[in-house]
Amino acid sequence: MTQTAAIGPRSSEPAEPPTFRHFIAGEWCDSTSGATFESHNPADTRDVIGRFQQGTPADVAMAIRAAADAGAMWRRTPAPKRGEILYRFGALMAEHKERLSRAMTREMGKVIAEARGDVQEGIDIAFLMAGEGRRMFGDTVPSELPDKWAMSIRQPIGVAGIITPWNFPIAIPCWKMMPALVAGNTVVFKPASDTPHCATLLVELMAEAGFPAGSVNLVTGAGGEVGDAIVDNPDVGVISFTGSSDTGRHIATRAGRKLKRLSLELGGKNAIVVMSDADLDLATDGILWSAFGTTGQRCTAASRVVVERAAVEPLMQRLERRARTLRLGSGLDESIDVGPLINAGAVDKVAGYIEVGRREGELVLGGEPARDGELANGHFFSPTIFRDVMPMDRIAQEEIFGPVLSVIPVDDYPAAVTAVNQTRYGLSSSIFTTDANTAFRAMRDFETGIVYINAGTTGAETHLPFGGWKETGNGHREAGHAALDTFTEWKAIYVDFSGRLQRAQIDNQ
Ligand code: UN1
């Protein structure tokens, strides 16, 4: 291991924060900018986690060159052998799970149980994709002509640009890098500026696992500088991005001009439907977990609850009572339910939506930053619930990415379907009902990439496709074997062993 980071309580004499570096061509190196930026603990911003390289287009160019050079060898390494390195990496993550989880809570803020889940999701996808090294199926099919063989195989694209968000700082980079690498691509990884430490720890373990020099390159820094340089470089054949819709559009425009392969995973405005026949205690559990888990900072978070009118009052009572018991604080304390928002900008954004919400619905809980006592130095925001919100209100339409829930009353199931689907996004949805017919109708009717029955909107597992309809993405899927589609080209191969010219579509009449 090339670097270690101090994790845990600060001593009374805070040490100088450590400086971390890019990882290019198998070496840890400084940026050509000579500049660094800091990463802070969002639960207590006095806690500086470290200094990180302020990457430049020149750094990116070096990383892409290293990745392109390494690609020549990596793509010829048999896929099962590539998979063995993924297995080693998954095992190393499992060995270091607690250290990674604690580092994540410190840097990103999610509570420690959720951080462990995030790391586990990384382990799961590493093992799943390691197995793909021995599968990676193509088709072998009969030819329409005699003495002719027909088959299809997947081949790597080349250099993959991996641009990731801060909200799943281990899982999402793994969702992208594991399929890219097992398929024979090499990667240039640009993590979110809010979580460069998690990314560094991850890449340290990748190097230890045996990914060869140049196959994985890390460049930290700002999206405008580092991200754009990755997207624009002609030697990057595929880009995978998860983040905001605005940034997604920006990347899509630039990548589109160059006709690049691009996988986008963007916003969500996910709804939970509660029918009057639902188990309301179970629904309350699902809603609170989906709305306030990760402080609402998941693409899959539930920010809308669409409730049949007869269930509104009993559900509201349960939600309010239970939401009031949620404890805010540092996620390193196991008893805490809700950690901080990621940064001051996020607090401002959420606070702005509270003002919008006051004009649209009735605020029944929360609605302001939480700054009492130990929360004073963090970016905390009280779990917030609005009721009597209309489906087309702004707080029911725009992604807030914070602990803000809108309760939308509807008359019946058809009205619920309309409300669920009346948004530009389509990531996940859920319904609580005890009627099997209603459940099956929802599976058919909800226009989202993920549907849950009698569970909240979060908690996708890595062996199924993850992604959304409509403006949530651009048709690609992460996780599952569908993830390989982003990172491979198909090649159809015909072998004619007849010894004569056989013309398809003509000589087989
Ligand atoms: C995200 O928020 O971008 O389904 C990913 C879930 C997690 C992944 C969320 N497994 O909530």
Side-chain angles (χ1 to χ4, degrees):
M1 194 134 310
T2 47
Q3 303 174 37
T4 48
I7 297 165
R10 303 162 81 229
S11 66
S12 50
E13 291 280 316
E16 183 67 7
T19 298
F20 297 90
R21 309 167 92 189
H22 293 328
F23 188 65
I24 299 177
E27 303 286 339
W28 296 93
C29 57
D30 289 336
S31 168
T32 52
S33 70
T36 58
F37 65 98
E38 290 182 344
S39 176
H40 299 255
N41 178 344
D44 182 347
T45 54
R46 296 168 303 180
D47 177 19
V48 181
I49 289 157
R51 299 207 172 94
F52 297 84
Q53 302 300 312
Q54 190 75 61
T56 64
D59 301 343
V60 171
M62 276 189 280
I64 293 171
R65 176 84 349 251
D69 289 349
M73 178 275 294
W74 184 241
R75 66 193 293 133
R76 279 178 184 74
T77 304
K81 292 284 162 206
R82 296 196 294 254
E84 283 171 20
I85 301 177
L86 272 74
Y87 276 123
R88 275 205 292 282
F89 172 58
L92 272 173
M93 273 202 288
E95 193 183 312
H96 291 270
K97 181 171 172 181
E98 191 59 20
R99 182 173 71 89
L100 293 171
S101 305
R102 298 188 78 77
M104 186 188 307
T105 295
R106 182 178 173 216
E107 186 173 47
M108 180 273 160
K110 68 173 68 177
V111 299
I112 187 70
E114 292 189 42
R116 291 183 190 120
D118 188 320
V119 177
Q120 187 59 46
E121 210 163 332
I123 298 167
D124 293 344
I125 195 81
F127 287 155
L128 178 76
M129 287 297 147
E132 285 300 327
R134 286 191 181 269
R135 286 188 294 265
M136 226 175 285
F137 299 130
D139 296 324
T140 306
V141 292
S143 164
E144 64 190 38
L145 292 159
D147 298 332
K148 189 176 172 191
W149 184 274
M151 62 187 171
S152 61
I153 61 169
R154 289 183 187 273
Q155 292 205 311
I157 294 175
V159 178
I162 305 294
I163 306 176
T164 58
W166 45 264
N167 70 331
F168 275 80
I170 299 275
I172 290 181
C174 290
W175 282 8
K176 297 181 187 303
M177 289 196 280
M178 294 302 108
L181 287 161
V182 81
N185 303 280
T186 51
V187 305
V188 175
F189 169 30
K190 184 255 179 268
S193 317
D194 285 301
T195 49
H197 187 225
C198 291
T200 306
L201 298 179
L202 193 69
V203 171
E204 284 177 0
L205 290 184
M206 291 178 87
E208 196 179 334
F211 286 103
S215 59
V216 179
N217 303 277
L218 170 73
V219 181
T220 53
E225 286 243 69
V226 176
D228 283 356
I230 292 173
V231 174
D232 291 346
N233 191 301
D235 291 333
V236 173
V238 50
I239 297 142
S240 180
F241 169 76
T242 298
S244 74
S245 296
D246 286 347
T247 309
R249 241 181 225 103
H250 170 84
I251 291 176
T253 307
R254 295 178 94 101
R257 277 195 213 108
K258 298 198 156 74
L259 297 178
K260 285 195 188 191
R261 179 83 61 94
L262 170 67
S263 167
L264 295 174
E265 192 52 55
L266 309 174
K269 194 69 192 175
N270 313 298
I272 294 178
V273 173
V274 181
M275 300 301 290
S276 48
D277 60 31
D279 174 341
L280 293 184
D281 291 323
L282 177 64
T284 303
D285 285 342
I287 293 166
L288 293 176
W289 173 238
S290 300
F292 302 131
T294 330
T295 322
Q297 302 171 110
R298 290 194 192 210
C299 309
T300 52
S303 50
R304 304 186 290 154
V305 177
V306 176
V307 196
E308 246 191 334
R309 257 179 238 288
V312 168
E313 290 311 325
L315 182 70
M316 285 309 304
Q317 281 166 17
R318 286 171 171 79
L319 282 178
E320 270 191 67
R321 191 175 66 236
R322 292 274 309 283
R324 281 183 203 286
T325 68
L326 295 173
R327 293 193 55 209
L328 271 65
S330 161
L332 288 170
D333 175 345
E334 305 264 359
S335 71
I336 291 298
D337 302 299
V338 182
L341 290 169
I342 188 67
N343 55 34
V347 174
D348 291 346
K349 180 179 174 195
V350 174
Y353 274 106
I354 300 302
E355 293 318 307
V356 174
R358 284 180 197 278
R359 295 192 291 273
E360 295 179 332
E362 183 193 338
L363 180 70
V364 291
L365 190 74
E368 51 196 13
R371 298 203 172 102
D372 293 346
E374 292 191 346
L375 307 183
N377 295 301
H379 303 300
F380 292 94
F381 207 98
S382 303
T384 298
I385 303 177
F386 286 99
R387 62 176 291 174
D388 300 331
V389 176
M390 301 293 286
M392 297 309 287
D393 283 341
R394 277 185 64 197
I395 54 166
Q397 288 292 319
E398 296 174 23
E399 190 180 45
I400 301 173
F401 226 61
V404 182
L405 183 66
S406 294
V407 177
I408 303 169
V410 290
D411 289 336
D412 51 18
Y413 175 77
V417 174
T418 303
V420 167
N421 292 340
Q422 246 177 0
T423 123
R424 71 179 83 107
Y425 299 115
L427 183 52
S428 83
S429 57
S430 111
I431 188 165
F432 284 87
T433 178
T434 50
D435 182 333
N437 294 348
T438 309
F440 271 85
R441 287 186 187 115
M443 290 181 232
R444 180 195 60 197
D445 296 336
F446 290 179
E447 295 169 355
T448 57
I450 307 167
V451 176
Y452 291 93
I453 307 298
N454 290 324
T457 53
T458 65
E461 302 176 26
T462 58
H463 48 303
L464 277 82
F466 181 94
W469 293 20
K470 301 190 269 185
E471 289 185 30
T472 289
N474 63 343
H476 289 278
R477 289 293 182 271
E478 305 205 86
H481 50 79
L484 292 174
D485 294 340
T486 297
F487 295 106
T488 52
E489 290 282 11
W490 278 113
K491 185 177 278 179
I493 301 174
Y494 302 95
V495 184
D496 194 315
F497 53 98
S498 70
R500 61 183 187 277
L501 175 69
Q502 300 197 86
R503 297 171 301 174
Q505 293 92 36
I506 296 171
D507 291 337
N508 59 343
Q509 299 304 315

